[in-house]
Short mmCIF file of all heavy atoms in Angstrom, two decimals:
data_model
loop_
_atom_site.label_atom_id
_atom_site.label_comp_id
_atom_site.label_asym_id
_atom_site.label_seq_id
_atom_site.Cartn_x
_atom_site.Cartn_y
_atom_site.Cartn_z
N LEU A 94 112.89 168.45 88.49
CA LEU A 94 112.28 167.32 89.11
C LEU A 94 112.94 165.99 88.70
O LEU A 94 113.09 165.07 89.55
CB LEU A 94 110.81 167.27 88.60
CG LEU A 94 109.85 168.23 89.11
CD1 LEU A 94 108.45 168.31 88.42
CD2 LEU A 94 109.58 167.92 90.62
N LYS A 95 113.39 165.96 87.45
CA LYS A 95 114.09 164.69 87.15
C LYS A 95 115.34 164.54 87.94
O LYS A 95 115.73 163.49 88.32
CB LYS A 95 114.40 164.77 85.62
CG LYS A 95 115.06 163.58 84.99
CD LYS A 95 115.29 163.91 83.39
CE LYS A 95 115.95 162.65 82.80
NZ LYS A 95 116.21 162.89 81.38
N MET A 96 116.14 165.61 88.13
CA MET A 96 117.28 165.58 88.95
C MET A 96 117.00 165.15 90.32
O MET A 96 117.71 164.34 90.98
CB MET A 96 118.00 166.94 88.90
CG MET A 96 119.10 166.97 89.88
SD MET A 96 120.54 166.01 89.42
CE MET A 96 121.29 167.01 88.21
N ALA A 97 115.82 165.83 90.88
CA ALA A 97 115.50 165.38 92.36
C ALA A 97 115.16 163.87 92.44
O ALA A 97 115.51 163.39 93.46
CB ALA A 97 114.28 166.36 92.67
N ARG A 98 114.47 163.38 91.36
CA ARG A 98 114.15 161.96 91.47
C ARG A 98 115.49 161.03 91.43
O ARG A 98 115.50 160.04 92.08
CB ARG A 98 113.15 161.66 90.33
CG ARG A 98 111.83 161.93 90.51
CD ARG A 98 111.11 160.87 91.37
NE ARG A 98 109.82 161.51 91.80
CZ ARG A 98 109.39 161.26 92.98
NH1 ARG A 98 110.04 160.60 93.94
NH2 ARG A 98 108.34 161.84 93.42
N SER A 99 116.27 161.64 90.67
CA SER A 99 117.58 160.89 90.47
C SER A 99 118.36 160.86 91.80
O SER A 99 118.89 159.89 92.19
CB SER A 99 118.53 161.43 89.41
OG SER A 99 117.84 161.29 88.27
N VAL A 100 118.43 161.94 92.52
CA VAL A 100 119.11 162.11 93.69
C VAL A 100 118.39 161.11 94.85
O VAL A 100 118.96 160.52 95.48
CB VAL A 100 119.00 163.59 94.24
CG1 VAL A 100 119.50 163.66 95.74
CG2 VAL A 100 119.88 164.41 93.31
N GLU A 101 116.94 161.25 94.81
CA GLU A 101 116.26 160.34 95.80
C GLU A 101 116.57 158.85 95.43
O GLU A 101 116.78 158.18 96.38
CB GLU A 101 114.77 160.70 95.67
CG GLU A 101 113.86 160.11 96.78
CD GLU A 101 113.55 158.69 96.43
OE1 GLU A 101 113.42 158.28 95.25
OE2 GLU A 101 113.32 157.85 97.31
N THR A 102 116.62 158.47 94.21
CA THR A 102 116.97 157.12 93.96
C THR A 102 118.32 156.74 94.36
O THR A 102 118.59 155.64 94.90
CB THR A 102 116.70 156.86 92.36
OG1 THR A 102 115.44 157.19 92.11
CG2 THR A 102 117.15 155.46 92.04
N ILE A 103 119.34 157.52 94.11
CA ILE A 103 120.80 157.38 94.49
C ILE A 103 120.76 157.29 95.96
O ILE A 103 121.55 156.15 96.52
CB ILE A 103 121.64 158.39 93.96
CG1 ILE A 103 121.87 158.28 92.44
CG2 ILE A 103 123.10 158.41 94.63
CD1 ILE A 103 122.56 159.39 91.76
N LEU A 104 120.24 158.05 96.74
CA LEU A 104 120.23 157.97 98.23
C LEU A 104 119.67 156.61 98.64
O LEU A 104 120.22 156.03 99.50
CB LEU A 104 119.36 159.22 98.84
CG LEU A 104 120.01 160.47 98.95
CD1 LEU A 104 119.03 161.59 99.35
CD2 LEU A 104 121.22 160.57 99.90
N ARG A 105 118.39 156.29 98.16
CA ARG A 105 117.77 155.13 98.55
C ARG A 105 118.45 153.85 98.15
O ARG A 105 118.53 152.95 99.00
CB ARG A 105 116.38 155.22 97.98
CG ARG A 105 115.39 154.11 98.38
CD ARG A 105 113.96 154.28 97.97
NE ARG A 105 113.74 155.06 96.74
CZ ARG A 105 113.81 154.61 95.60
NH1 ARG A 105 114.08 153.26 95.25
NH2 ARG A 105 113.61 155.36 94.44
N GLU A 106 119.05 153.80 97.01
CA GLU A 106 119.68 152.52 96.57
C GLU A 106 121.16 152.38 96.73
O GLU A 106 121.76 151.26 96.65
CB GLU A 106 119.35 152.43 95.02
CG GLU A 106 117.90 152.22 94.83
CD GLU A 106 117.58 152.08 93.34
OE1 GLU A 106 118.43 152.11 92.58
OE2 GLU A 106 116.37 151.98 92.99
N SER A 107 121.77 153.52 97.07
CA SER A 107 123.39 153.37 96.97
C SER A 107 124.07 153.93 98.37
O SER A 107 125.29 153.51 98.47
CB SER A 107 123.92 154.26 95.88
OG SER A 107 123.40 153.81 94.52
N VAL A 108 123.42 154.58 99.09
CA VAL A 108 124.02 155.15 100.35
C VAL A 108 124.02 154.14 101.45
O VAL A 108 122.95 153.67 101.75
CB VAL A 108 123.60 156.51 100.71
CG1 VAL A 108 124.12 157.01 102.01
CG2 VAL A 108 123.67 157.53 99.53
N LEU A 109 125.02 153.80 102.05
CA LEU A 109 125.10 152.94 103.34
C LEU A 109 125.52 153.85 104.56
O LEU A 109 126.39 154.71 104.35
CB LEU A 109 126.17 152.01 103.02
CG LEU A 109 125.93 150.90 102.03
CD1 LEU A 109 127.12 149.87 101.92
CD2 LEU A 109 124.71 150.03 102.51
N GLN A 110 125.12 153.51 105.72
CA GLN A 110 125.55 154.08 106.88
C GLN A 110 126.70 153.34 107.45
O GLN A 110 126.70 152.15 107.50
CB GLN A 110 124.41 154.00 107.89
CG GLN A 110 123.58 155.30 107.94
CD GLN A 110 122.61 155.25 109.14
OE1 GLN A 110 122.00 154.29 109.53
NE2 GLN A 110 122.59 156.47 109.71
N VAL A 111 127.85 154.01 107.76
CA VAL A 111 128.94 153.44 108.24
C VAL A 111 129.44 154.29 109.51
O VAL A 111 129.44 155.39 109.44
CB VAL A 111 130.14 153.48 107.25
CG1 VAL A 111 131.41 152.85 107.92
CG2 VAL A 111 129.71 152.66 106.01
N GLU A 112 129.75 153.57 110.52
CA GLU A 112 130.00 154.27 111.83
C GLU A 112 131.49 153.89 112.20
O GLU A 112 131.80 152.65 112.21
CB GLU A 112 129.10 153.87 112.91
CG GLU A 112 129.37 154.53 114.23
CD GLU A 112 128.40 154.16 115.32
OE1 GLU A 112 127.39 153.49 115.01
OE2 GLU A 112 128.58 154.40 116.50
N HIS A 113 132.30 154.93 112.45
CA HIS A 113 133.65 154.62 112.99
C HIS A 113 133.60 154.23 114.46
O HIS A 113 133.21 155.18 115.34
CB HIS A 113 134.44 155.81 112.69
CG HIS A 113 135.90 155.68 113.02
ND1 HIS A 113 136.51 156.07 114.13
CD2 HIS A 113 136.99 155.11 112.16
CE1 HIS A 113 137.86 155.75 114.05
NE2 HIS A 113 138.02 155.11 112.88
N VAL A 114 133.96 152.96 114.82
CA VAL A 114 133.76 152.62 116.21
C VAL A 114 135.02 152.40 117.01
O VAL A 114 135.00 152.67 118.21
CB VAL A 114 132.98 151.22 116.33
CG1 VAL A 114 131.48 151.45 115.89
CG2 VAL A 114 133.59 150.12 115.44
N GLU A 115 136.07 152.21 116.30
CA GLU A 115 137.45 152.16 116.97
C GLU A 115 138.50 152.51 115.96
O GLU A 115 138.18 152.97 114.82
CB GLU A 115 137.67 150.59 117.32
CG GLU A 115 136.89 150.18 118.41
CD GLU A 115 137.10 148.67 118.72
OE1 GLU A 115 138.30 148.18 118.45
OE2 GLU A 115 136.30 148.02 119.38
N GLU A 116 139.75 152.37 116.39
CA GLU A 116 140.91 153.06 115.61
C GLU A 116 140.71 152.41 114.23
O GLU A 116 140.78 153.27 113.15
CB GLU A 116 142.27 152.56 116.32
CG GLU A 116 143.39 152.96 115.40
CD GLU A 116 143.68 154.49 115.23
OE1 GLU A 116 143.10 155.18 116.16
OE2 GLU A 116 144.22 154.88 114.38
N ASN A 117 140.81 151.19 113.98
CA ASN A 117 140.77 150.58 112.55
C ASN A 117 139.56 149.75 112.34
O ASN A 117 139.70 148.66 111.81
CB ASN A 117 142.03 149.87 112.28
CG ASN A 117 143.26 150.65 112.19
OD1 ASN A 117 143.19 151.77 111.50
ND2 ASN A 117 144.32 150.23 112.76
N LYS A 118 138.45 150.20 112.83
CA LYS A 118 137.21 149.48 112.75
C LYS A 118 136.01 150.28 112.51
O LYS A 118 135.89 151.25 113.09
CB LYS A 118 137.03 148.75 114.18
CG LYS A 118 136.05 147.50 114.13
CD LYS A 118 136.10 146.89 115.49
CE LYS A 118 135.40 145.59 115.42
NZ LYS A 118 135.28 144.95 116.70
N ILE A 119 135.28 149.75 111.62
CA ILE A 119 133.97 150.53 111.10
C ILE A 119 132.84 149.43 111.30
O ILE A 119 133.01 148.22 111.25
CB ILE A 119 134.11 151.09 109.81
CG1 ILE A 119 134.24 150.08 108.61
CG2 ILE A 119 135.02 152.23 109.64
CD1 ILE A 119 134.03 150.62 107.34
N LEU A 120 131.64 150.08 111.52
CA LEU A 120 130.41 149.29 111.58
C LEU A 120 129.41 149.70 110.41
O LEU A 120 129.18 150.85 110.25
CB LEU A 120 129.75 149.55 112.98
CG LEU A 120 128.33 148.92 113.14
CD1 LEU A 120 128.51 147.38 113.19
CD2 LEU A 120 127.72 149.36 114.48
N LEU A 121 129.31 148.73 109.54
CA LEU A 121 128.37 148.89 108.43
C LEU A 121 126.87 148.63 108.88
O LEU A 121 126.74 147.53 109.49
CB LEU A 121 128.82 148.06 107.30
CG LEU A 121 127.96 147.85 106.14
CD1 LEU A 121 128.17 149.32 105.39
CD2 LEU A 121 128.55 146.81 105.04
#
């Protein structure tokens, strides 16, 4: 449970969505 809570916190606070839109361009 402690590990699952840590994973949930990391996902919520640290993960960003980035999309590759062109050759050398990403969208944050």
Side-chain angles (χ1 to χ4, degrees):
L94 284 172
K95 188 175 173 183
M96 173 64 81
R98 280 281 166 221
S99 295
V100 168
E101 191 273 334
T102 300
I103 289 168
L104 280 172
R105 187 171 24 87
E106 295 179 357
S107 303
V108 176
L109 290 173
Q110 272 190 313
V111 178
E112 182 181 349
H113 188 258
V114 290
E115 290 178 22
E116 177 65 28
N117 291 314
K118 195 173 190 180
I119 60 171
L120 174 65
L121 177 64

